[in-house]
Amino acid sequence: QSLNLFNFVRVKLEEGVVPIKILDVGCGEGVAIRELAEKWRGSLLGFGVDRFMGERALSSSQVELKRANILRTLPFSNAFFDIVYANEVLMYFMDDASVFSIVVECVRVLRSNGVFVFNDDKSVAWYETHIIAKMRDSCAFNHEGSCMWLIKK
């Protein structure tokens, strides 16, 4: 799934956005961040709830790992990141309100034209009905297979 993230990073590089600031929500052991750090220069931040993630994840000058609760306000200012990535994170939240709150918060920390990339076992139609319909004024939505993304206007 992280290959989809690489495509978005490549687009940002082609747009001249360097260095890229990326937030990986629910980063676990930092697999996607590790792959990104090996390929591109940028500011990479992993954000997760796993108490062991820091012990197993990559550490370097360009990667920072933090533990936090995604259901609370993210500890970043508005328009801070170029890309926010959530690989198989939203599916752990069963109620619509929690999923909507997380998506809104991920979009809040995106810069204009920033991209929130996510995938989930919920259908694209579910997201279009329960989440995207409420965000049409602030974001454009697209998808390819189970990979979905919002582009902040």
Side-chain angles (χ1 to χ4, degrees):
Q1 295 297 338
S2 59
L3 290 178
N4 292 313
L5 177 59
F6 291 147
N7 291 337
F8 288 99
V9 171
R10 190 174 298 113
V11 167
K12 289 295 176 188
L13 288 169
E14 289 169 0
E15 291 174 355
V17 178
V18 177
I20 297 172
K21 288 186 179 178
I22 300 172
L23 173 63
D24 184 354
V25 175
C27 68
E29 295 181 20
V31 174
I33 287 176
R34 185 178 302 121
E35 291 177 28
L36 285 170
E38 290 171 359
K39 294 179 186 272
W40 291 294
R41 197 178 111 241
S43 176
L44 309 170
L45 194 138
F47 196 84
V49 295
D50 180 353
R51 63 188 169 107
F52 301 109
M53 75 174 188
E55 297 170 12
R56 297 185 303 249
L58 171 75
S59 62
S60 77
S61 61
Q62 73 187 98
V63 176
E64 181 181 354
L65 299 172
K66 291 188 177 188
R67 283 182 53 209
N69 184 342
I70 187 64
L71 292 174
R72 302 189 196 283
T73 303
L74 293 172
F76 308 105
S77 60
N78 294 347
F80 190 78
F81 292 99
D82 301 296
I83 297 173
V84 176
Y85 176 65
N87 183 31
E88 298 179 353
V89 172
L90 299 175
M91 65 187 184
Y92 293 103
F93 299 91
M94 299 301 152
D95 63 296
D96 297 359
S98 292
V99 175
F100 183 72
S101 174
I102 293 166
V103 171
V104 167
E105 189 60 11
C106 288
V107 170
R108 178 190 68 80
V109 299
L110 279 176
R111 294 180 176 154
S112 181
N113 293 316
V115 181
F116 174 42
V117 185
F118 59 101
N119 61 16
D120 193 355
D121 60 355
K122 294 178 187 74
S123 70
V124 170
W126 184 91
Y127 272 96
E128 289 180 318
T129 302
H130 294 88
I131 308 297
I132 307 309
K134 301 174 186 175
M135 302 185 72
R136 294 254 183 241
D137 293 339
S138 61
C139 297
F141 174 70
N142 210 332
H143 64 91
E144 184 176 311
S146 66
C147 182
M148 296 170 261
W149 60 94
L150 291 167
I151 301 172
K152 187 174 183 178
K153 294 180 180 177

